[in-house]
Amino acid sequence: MDYLEGLAAQYPGVIDHYLHGGRERLAASVASLSSALRLAQRAARRPTASEEGVTEPAALQPGETLEGLAGLYDLLNRDDPHYRYEFAVTATPPPLDQAEDLLVAVVQEGSPDGCVTVKVFARFREAVVERPVPGSISFDPSSDEDLARDLDLFERYGRPFDAPSGTVSTEMDLPSGLGGRLEGASATIGPPADSSSDEQLRLAVLDPDGNVLAEPILDMQPIFRGSHGVGRYGEEHHGAFGLELLTDLTTGHTSITMKALPLTGRRPEQLLEGLRFATEFRHPNRFRIRPAYGPRASPLTDIPDQGNYDSQTDAVYDFVEALALIQQHTPDQLLLPDVAATTGEQQHGVLRAARLLRGETIRGTWNQLSAVHLHPGLTVEPAERFALRTFQRLAVKLPEVDLDLGLVQIDLPIARADPDAVHEHDDHLDIRLVPAGSNVALFRYRADADSTEEPDEDASKDRDRT
């Protein structure tokens, strides 16, 4: 018992508590405490007298910490009948999941050496009733107009919001000494944790004649409530946009706000319905809401004329639609790039490729076709005029994407040889072709073109083929 007596002298409160728990509980407690102490001692170890010449402690290996950390966890969760504690030490603050079951509070403390996170969980639903967690929180919106607006919407509708660092003061009576007063903090007032009111809705936009233009599915969060009304937030099922509904129960007025969401990395074909809705949600169209399944639907509601429609939404939709069409012609999985990081030339190439793949004939112009090789023995008279057909690869280039989609047929209705650019080259002539009166060029996609029609810079073949 000498060892236990030593522990009792050093940690009288812990040992005294467990002496009343029986031998089995005492043995488990001592094991946990011992492993935690060994970890602390090992972390602070200094060279012994026999380690001559050693000036630094031997490095602590991760494998040596497992038993000690498990013992520390066990000690933290043996005394409190109401709450359970989890801890982590990370290089940066980890993301927090507010939906974790029975999560009551999270305390994080950072330093240049890392961030310590302690999570407090209720052991059962009524724990916060038997041992309440009282506290107060105050906000200072005096220098932040956005925060002042958010506080007003929270009071009126219960709308969740984020308060930036430096605007929040709190005082919380958290269990196990984790509470206290905190100044200059930030805060997140999240949505209700009641997942039972989550549901999916269909939101349709219709033209003035009643034709449905788009009807995406929205994943809705629980309803939030304030002193004057209710609100709800949802996101299109594939992340095309977010939507907030705020209803003033005194006037019956509902405001609808669409929110742009990050689209990078998403599959273009999955975004089409949602983005089509976003582009069509404007006057004079109308909209309606109904459950994801079943016939029930709300009456049609007019979309007011805001007078400031953002055409950029149309441009994004056109780009995504073009990529979705290109996806049908390549086995490579396409993901939407960062549109802001793509060049105008890259975007134009995607839109042009989509037009060709749809079967359009694109009308363009040309100036010259250089380094055309004639078959040995063939010549071109200066007055000769002819039509020319050639082919080029249909390529699409984007950041980290380089696609070959087949062939583009190019028809030049009338061309001639430039007499100042005819050169003998070994056993044949190299010539340059220029427009002969008209510089029109017609571009068509040729999915059925065989390999013999691929461009080989041989003008005689092109001429014979026409």
Side-chain angles (χ1 to χ4, degrees):
M1 293 291 292
D2 292 341
Y3 178 64
L4 292 180
E5 289 173 357
L7 289 178
Q10 191 173 2
Y11 303 97
V14 174
I15 298 301
D16 181 67
H17 173 80
Y18 286 109
L19 283 173
H20 294 83
R23 289 182 173 275
E24 183 177 341
R25 186 175 182 183
L26 175 60
S29 302
V30 169
S32 297
L33 180 58
S34 298
S35 60
L37 287 174
R38 284 195 297 272
L39 173 61
Q41 292 169 352
R42 178 66 184 83
R45 179 176 178 270
R46 290 296 180 267
T48 65
S50 62
E51 295 174 312
E52 296 181 1
V54 177
T55 59
E56 294 292 336
L60 179 65
Q61 300 298 318
E64 300 176 74
T65 68
L66 300 181
E67 181 182 1
L69 291 174
L72 180 58
Y73 176 83
D74 185 56
L75 285 175
L76 289 176
N77 287 288
R78 280 182 176 269
D79 293 335
D80 194 330
H82 297 101
Y83 297 98
R84 178 178 62 84
Y85 306 91
E86 293 183 1
F87 62 89
V89 183
T90 52
T92 58
L96 302 178
D97 181 4
Q98 300 179 36
E100 285 188 89
D101 191 35
L102 299 179
L103 179 65
V104 174
V106 179
V107 177
Q108 290 182 320
E109 183 171 328
S111 74
D113 298 325
C115 177
V116 177
T117 301
V118 179
K119 294 183 179 181
V120 183
F121 294 88
R123 292 187 182 273
F124 51 92
R125 299 285 177 189
E126 296 298 313
V128 293
V129 177
E130 295 185 7
R131 197 298 190 190
V133 184
S136 63
I137 182 170
S138 60
F139 301 90
D140 179 12
S142 57
S143 59
D144 192 324
E145 294 183 359
D146 291 338
L147 179 57
R149 179 206 63 214
D150 290 340
L151 287 170
D152 177 66
L153 291 174
F154 175 73
E155 190 275 330
R156 293 173 62 84
Y157 301 102
R159 179 181 182 266
F161 69 97
D162 293 320
S165 179
T167 63
V168 179
S169 299
T170 66
E171 188 164 1
M172 301 291 291
D173 180 20
L174 293 174
S176 297
L178 292 173
R181 184 164 183 80
L182 185 62
E183 302 284 352
S186 60
T188 297
I189 307 299
D194 179 15
S195 61
S196 62
S197 58
D198 291 354
E199 66 173 327
Q200 288 186 321
L201 298 177
R202 289 189 184 272
L203 186 59
V205 60
L206 301 88
D207 65 19
D209 295 327
N211 300 307
V212 176
L213 302 175
E215 191 173 21
I217 291 180
L218 271 68
D219 299 323
M220 304 300 297
Q221 294 181 3
I223 295 174
F224 44 84
R225 294 175 172 83
S227 62
H228 290 70
V230 297
R232 203 166 192 189
Y233 177 78
E235 293 185 357
E236 194 273 329
H237 187 62
H238 296 291
F241 62 87
L243 190 79
E244 182 181 70
L245 306 170
L246 298 177
T247 301
D248 189 322
L249 297 179
T250 60
T251 64
H253 175 74
T254 297
S255 66
I256 299 178
T257 303
M258 295 189 68
K259 175 184 176 183
L261 297 178
L263 303 180
T264 303
R266 299 188 181 276
R267 296 172 59 178
E269 67 275 13
Q270 294 182 338
L271 293 172
L272 283 181
E273 189 73 5
L275 291 180
R276 187 179 299 114
F277 176 90
T279 62
E280 299 294 350
F281 193 77
R282 54 184 170 180
H283 183 79
N285 295 333
R286 297 179 291 174
F287 75 95
R288 71 179 178 210
I289 301 174
R290 68 180 180 92
Y293 307 101
R296 292 182 296 113
S298 66
L300 291 176
T301 302
D302 292 331
I303 300 174
D305 187 0
Q306 301 293 333
N308 58 348
Y309 178 74
D310 184 7
S311 61
Q312 184 64 27
T313 306
D314 284 344
V316 173
Y317 174 77
D318 291 342
F319 182 70
V320 174
E321 183 184 40
L323 283 177
L325 177 60
I326 292 172
Q327 180 66 88
Q328 299 176 20
H329 295 264
T330 175
D332 299 328
Q333 173 66 67
L334 298 182
L335 300 177
L336 189 67
D338 182 355
V339 179
T342 59
T343 67
E345 181 181 359
Q346 290 171 336
Q347 294 182 24
H348 175 75
V350 168
L351 297 174
R352 177 180 179 275
R355 291 178 61 191
L356 291 168
L357 292 173
R358 290 190 191 99
E360 292 187 38
T361 297
I362 297 179
R363 186 184 180 93
T365 60
W366 69 292
N367 294 317
Q368 64 179 24
L369 190 61
S370 301
V372 177
H373 309 299
L374 298 185
H375 273 316
L378 288 181
T379 61
V380 176
E381 297 297 329
E384 186 176 358
R385 302 291 186 267
F386 49 86
L388 180 71
R389 172 171 294 172
T390 187
F391 295 86
Q392 69 178 23
R393 307 305 307 183
L394 177 56
V396 171
K397 296 182 182 295
L398 288 169
E400 301 182 5
V401 173
D402 193 349
L403 299 176
D404 185 340
L405 301 175
L407 293 174
V408 177
Q409 173 184 301
I410 306 172
D411 289 319
L412 309 178
I414 184 167
R416 65 179 178 86
D418 184 352
D420 297 326
V422 177
H423 305 285
E424 292 187 8
H425 184 202
D426 295 333
D427 61 347
H428 65 275
L429 295 179
D430 286 348
I431 67 172
R432 179 171 64 199
L433 297 178
V434 295
S438 172
N439 65 344
V440 171
L442 302 175
F443 301 84
R444 299 180 180 89
Y445 179 62
R446 284 291 303 273
D448 58 342
D450 58 45
S451 59
T452 63
E453 294 181 310
E454 294 189 34
D456 59 359
E457 299 182 329
D458 191 329
S460 64
K461 287 186 178 180
D462 293 332
R463 183 173 58 178
D464 292 344
R465 193 181 301 120
T466 349

